[in-house]
Amino acid sequence: MRKLIMLLLFFWGNTALAAPVISPERYNLKLLETAPLLFEFHRLTTTSVKQEFYFPKRDSTWHANAAERERNALLKYGSDKVFLAASVVGGVEYCGGEILGDTIWPGFDGGLYLRGYVDSLEFVLDARIYSEGHSAKIPKSFDGEYIDIQSGENNDGIEYASYARYRGHIALNMGFARFDVGRDVVHWGPGYYNNLALNQFSLPFNSMSLDLQAGPLTVVSIYGDLRIYKGYVNEGNKNARNLYGHRYELNFGDLIIGVSELQVVYDDNDIWLFVPIVPLFIEKGNYTESSNNGAISLDINYRLFNMARIYTEFFLDDLHSPNKLIENKDVQSKWAWMIGLQVGHDFEYKTHLLELGMIAEYARVEPYVYTHFKSNTAQMAHLEVPLGNQNGPNSRTIDWLFYSRLDDCWMIALHQRWSWKGTDAGSSLDDPTPAYHAHINKSFLRGAKMQYSITPILGYEGRFTNFALEWTFVDDAKVYARMGFKW
């Protein structure tokens, strides 16, 4: 019966997931899925499939089934070793919020979505142009990336914001290895909202990565090209900030143990750090302290009876000594911790499938985590946004999500968040970390007030169209609504 249900859903329901790469969630460039990574995590929780917690990653089933999965593409070509599918994508959006200080309406986007393969080379590209109306005198960027403001003086009295966005990958599959070059957000670890090393709710950057498989061990190496300031016209972005990272995952079936190590370098780039066997936490000592910033994290995930996952991550940015870390008083004791639980189950009735689940996460990030000795240098950030936990240093966050999806099409969810953010030294990414020899006490969440928000989420994912609505109430009030298409 389950096979029949899945077969019917395959032919009738959402086919938006057809792509050679499984990517994290997106602020922009929305396709037909309301929350694709959420339901990938649901699949990892409720089935016996191999668990892997690094994204973007290859969808190994796409290549073999591309012709059938892409049957609705506007243009399609296939031969023995070549396949190409092209779709027109776009939509209209209404969004804004109190913190943003702007309302975007109407917001239009349109572009081309390409995917395909040539022998063992796979590629995907989503490129779009945007045009938006803004209520604020100085338009704000909803997704945190750059926007171009067209003044009325130069456009017959019409003022609007326009810009372009893209995400894409081109990857060579070599059996035991995969080399990928592209632009995307990177998400490492078993958490959904609060991963501490690399988090899906950060902003996309250009990168290249190498995935190696050796039995139960997976090694992922990444190089990323980061930007310091949000404004693309800021001359400070000529100064180079680069990311290197390695993730090691040991797979014991239901138990996954992962280690992620990061090194951000400022005007001291060396491609040697990309080599998978180079331990960054050791190699860091060979660099000038003022030009590099390193961290390491350990995460553990355990799946129980194909019904739940419990997971945790400990992130270490810096320390004087183990004793100082345990005392947790000195500013050099820079660490973060996250723990979470996901529960899920699928219910079948006749030809219908209902997916239900819950995610609960708690995260604590100490003062000065992700920061560096001098502002706007080797911070663990891109475009003034942390690469890891989005609440940044000196914060505490609790997330609670209930979600459901019917027939792979209708999604209803409710997300609640409780958050605290300190206001004194060490709360901002660009607060300079005191010199290593300076023994200064820190304070956690001094001056912090609890912020609470509740967000109902509604989504419809059709074969050619979608609708999504997220409306946040109480603190951090905001709204996001979209009608989109893919043909």
Side-chain angles (χ1 to χ4, degrees), residues 47 57 73 81 105 168 186 193 263 266 294 302 308 332 476 483:
T47 68
K57 68 175 184 179
K81 293 188 176 181
W105 174 255
V186 181
Y193 287 108
Q263 186 168 343
Y266 174 76
Y302 189 74
Q332 291 298 336
D476 190 24
M483 289 285 295

Side-chain angles (χ1 to χ4, degrees), residues 123-175:
F123 58 88
V124 58
L125 172 65
D126 187 352
R128 304 190 207 176
I129 296 175
Y130 292 72
S131 179
E132 298 175 341
H134 289 252
S135 64
K137 291 184 178 179
I138 302 177
K140 307 298 193 303
S141 171
F142 184 77
D143 64 7
E145 297 185 66
Y146 79 92
I147 58 176
D148 289 328
I149 303 170
Q150 308 298 322
S151 66
E153 297 176 358
N154 301 322
N155 294 281
D156 298 323
I158 301 175
E159 294 191 359
Y160 64 96
S162 66
Y163 53 90
R165 299 282 189 266
Y166 81 93
R167 291 200 187 185
H169 296 268
I170 182 167
L172 179 64
N173 301 301
M174 299 167 280

